[in-house]
Amino acid sequence: MPTTSLPTRPVLRPREDHGLSARLARSAAAGQGVRLRTEDFADWLAARGRAHDFGVDRIPFAELDGWSFHPGTGDLVHRSGRFFTVEGLSAGTDEGPYRDWHQPIIVQPEVGILGILAKEFDGVLHFLMQAKMEPGNPNLLQLSPTVQATRSNYTKVHKGLDVKYLDYFVQPGRGRVIADALQSEHGSWFYRKSNRNMIVEALDDVPPDDDFCWLTLGQINQLLHRDLVVNMDARTVLSCMPEYGRDTGTEHGPSAGDRALHSDAELRSWFTGERSRRELRAERVPLASVPGWVRGEMSVDHEEGRYFKVVAVSVRAASREVSKWTQPLFEPVGAGVTAFVARRIGGVLHVLAHARVEGGFLDTVELGPTVQCTPGNWDQLPAADRPPFLDLVLDPRGGRVRYDAVHSEEGGRFLNAESHTLVVEAEDAPLDPPPGYRWVTPAQLRGLVRHGHYVNVQARTLLACLGAMGEGGR
């Protein structure tokens, strides 16, 4: 009697990989790696800087190669029609002292890839980080993800070299996906910009490259305490790391989210309410029509000398896919402050998140830090109109500074953009905060990062810093 073969049943996997949580915790606890010792990192990074010719010079707009101001709109555009444009934005909202404003803004509709490759060595997960030069970095060379590329770059519009290790993030099956989410960029300077944030574990041997190094999560967390070392793109990808450690609810009882002041359902409901009640009007307009901004030979400036300026640079970077180019950059006027106010509630650390409206957001509001501003832009306003909690984080006499470092923003688009990054624990901070603010645990915040456009890029930086403190991964 003939036999018939039965269809093969698919292999079902658990919805949550508790083994991954333990592996990440083991990597976070590993203060040394098998490929590069932490105490040798600074020398390694300096050597990578000496190995290549790097340089950035300011130039007049007239010396930009391939870039020009459109004769009709005044928009700053590239002749290829790709990369990005600098246009105008007319925006308004329903709260705060600045309810209507105009500004230049970067329009870059394509989705880039920010990806970190992972691999296990001697039973410990390591992560492949790149010593990458960006023209806007104050110190040029910082630690970036394995892959940090716009679509124009990795499709080689610039006719340059291939992006190393890209296949692990664009070819299904090349690795095991640990995290993958679309996240926003700076809503104050980008118009509805998203990047794909990914962490992928390699299943095969990874060819070495001199400008890349393998580090444990514990080593990266140590480097996050140093000024101007871990770049913004690496920080946002690290914030997407799945929960790990004793508060994940996998090996040691209930999660910190289960012991939060507000349940996950209450938090999501509050956030949905904030998105529903807040108003944002944002319209792209010709750059030439933006009032209050003046275009000169070297820069586009606000007439009061505040906020930021648009400038042009010429770049040399021998380690990049293209070794020479020119481009526009946004340069802020003054250093920023990015801070979480924190306190323990029922023995569990909470941070005070702010539902922020920014002109470039895709969906009205995202959760941001307690304080996110350039203090100099608020000096002329009365105290009642200054950002809540700004004075506390600038002079935390009643609080304890738990984290303190200077980090730069995205060096591919912003020049010398630095933020004093703080976590200030203040036990007298109000349990009932002002409207638009909510106490959340780091675990709850990390849960929201799994979804795109819930947590802004500055809060994601702080979430990575909380992980460096031993608070953000659990």
Side-chain angles (χ1 to χ4, degrees):
M1 183 175 179
T3 60
T4 58
S5 60
L6 297 176
T8 303
R9 295 188 63 182
V11 177
L12 301 181
R13 296 179 174 87
R15 292 180 61 199
E16 297 293 339
D17 185 348
H18 301 333
L20 175 61
S21 171
R23 296 171 72 211
L24 290 172
R26 191 178 308 120
S27 182
Q32 293 290 352
V34 301
R35 296 300 177 94
L36 179 66
R37 297 189 309 167
T38 309
E39 55 266 32
D40 295 333
F41 171 80
D43 289 340
W44 175 83
L45 187 64
R48 300 324 308 153
R50 293 190 299 269
H52 304 289
D53 177 34
F54 294 136
V56 178
D57 298 303
R58 295 173 186 263
I59 58 173
F61 289 125
E63 293 183 13
L64 283 169
D65 181 15
W67 295 87
S68 62
F69 290 98
H70 188 277
T73 64
D75 295 343
L76 189 50
V77 301
H78 192 264
R79 66 187 169 206
S80 67
R82 301 288 295 276
F83 300 111
F84 61 94
T85 59
V86 179
E87 303 179 18
L89 182 76
S90 174
T93 187
D94 56 329
E95 293 181 8
Y98 297 114
R99 300 199 179 190
D100 295 282
W101 71 95
H102 297 81
Q103 65 170 90
I105 198 158
I106 298 170
V107 179
Q108 188 174 352
E110 60 188 33
V111 176
I113 291 179
L114 307 177
I116 295 179
L117 195 62
K119 188 171 177 60
E120 195 169 280
F121 298 103
D122 291 353
V124 178
L125 274 176
H126 288 61
F127 300 88
L128 188 60
M129 309 299 289
Q130 178 183 179
K132 189 177 182 70
M133 183 273 193
E134 292 286 2
N137 289 341
N139 54 348
L140 294 185
L141 200 66
Q142 294 187 17
L143 206 59
S144 85
T146 317
V147 168
Q148 176 185 321
T150 66
R151 183 171 179 82
S152 290
N153 283 342
Y154 68 76
T155 57
K156 298 200 288 187
V157 173
H158 50 42
K159 298 181 173 59
L161 301 175
D162 291 334
V163 175
K164 296 180 176 70
Y165 306 108
L166 177 67
D167 288 352
Y168 287 98
F169 302 95
V170 298
Q171 290 187 4
R174 280 301 305 271
R176 177 189 184 214
V177 177
I178 293 176
D180 191 353
L182 285 178
Q183 302 290 358
S184 61
E185 284 221 37
H186 296 72
S188 296
W189 290 338
F190 278 106
Y191 184 77
R192 299 183 178 181
K193 176 72 171 71
S194 298
N195 280 322
R196 189 177 181 186
N197 287 226
M198 303 180 70
I199 304 172
V200 174
E201 183 178 1
L203 303 176
D204 54 6
D205 291 333
V206 179
D209 186 280
D210 290 341
D211 289 321
F212 293 73
C213 65
W214 290 103
L215 299 171
T216 68
L217 187 52
Q219 290 179 293
I220 297 170
N221 285 341
Q222 292 179 58
L223 297 176
L224 277 166
H225 286 274
R226 303 182 187 181
D227 293 347
L228 303 175
V229 171
V230 181
N231 82 353
M232 187 219 76
D233 299 284
R235 300 191 305 266
T236 180
V237 178
L238 291 168
S239 76
C240 299
M241 194 79 69
E243 295 178 39
Y244 57 87
R246 61 180 175 83
D247 286 340
T248 61
T250 60
E251 297 176 0
H252 301 276
S255 71
D258 295 330
R259 295 180 280 122
L261 180 63
H262 305 286
S263 70
D264 291 349
E266 290 169 341
L267 178 60
R268 288 192 297 267
S269 177
W270 169 79
F271 181 69
T272 302
E274 289 296 303
R275 275 191 167 168
S276 301
R277 78 174 183 85
R278 296 301 308 275
E279 181 180 331
L280 173 63
R281 307 175 302 280
E283 179 185 4
R284 290 159 61 185
V285 297
L287 182 61
S289 72
V290 175
W293 292 80
V294 181
R295 189 178 105 195
E297 292 184 3
M298 298 290 294
S299 61
V300 178
D301 302 85
H302 191 267
E303 60 188 5
E304 295 179 357
R306 297 183 183 274
Y307 311 119
F308 64 92
K309 57 182 68 177
V310 184
V311 299
V313 296
S314 174
V315 185
R316 303 188 315 277
S319 63
R320 294 286 297 265
E321 293 83 13
V322 174
S323 60
K324 293 182 180 180
W325 73 92
T326 64
Q327 68 168 95
L329 292 170
F330 277 25
E331 182 179 24
V333 177
V337 173
T338 302
F340 268 143
V341 172
R343 66 168 292 175
R344 295 197 176 271
I345 304 172
V348 176
L349 187 75
H350 286 63
V351 296
L352 191 57
H354 180 205
R356 290 180 53 88
V357 174
E358 296 183 19
F361 279 161
L362 183 65
D363 195 356
T364 314
V365 304
E366 295 188 15
L367 285 182
T370 318
V371 174
Q372 176 191 320
C373 70
T374 300
N377 292 335
W378 301 82
D379 286 345
Q380 79 281 14
L381 296 179
D385 288 334
R386 286 166 61 84
F389 306 101
L390 175 59
D391 292 336
L392 170 62
V393 301
L394 291 179
D395 185 15
R397 285 175 291 181
R400 181 165 66 101
V401 177
R402 294 282 311 278
Y403 181 90
D404 186 348
V406 174
H407 292 302
S408 63
E409 304 304 331
E410 211 282 310
R413 299 291 178 266
F414 311 133
L415 178 64
N416 298 325
E418 298 180 9
S419 288
H420 190 186
T421 306
L422 297 155
V423 177
V424 178
E425 191 168 346
E427 292 307 315
D428 58 349
L431 282 176
D432 186 15
Y437 292 81
R438 208 63 153 192
W439 289 107
V440 302
T441 67
Q444 287 180 310
L445 203 59
R446 192 174 289 279
L448 292 176
V449 169
R450 297 177 186 173
H451 311 282
H453 301 279
Y454 271 63
V455 181
N456 79 355
V457 67
Q458 288 87 352
R460 296 198 305 274
T461 275
L462 279 161
L463 186 55
C465 298
L466 285 165
M469 293 164 46
E471 298 283 0
R474 50 182 201 263

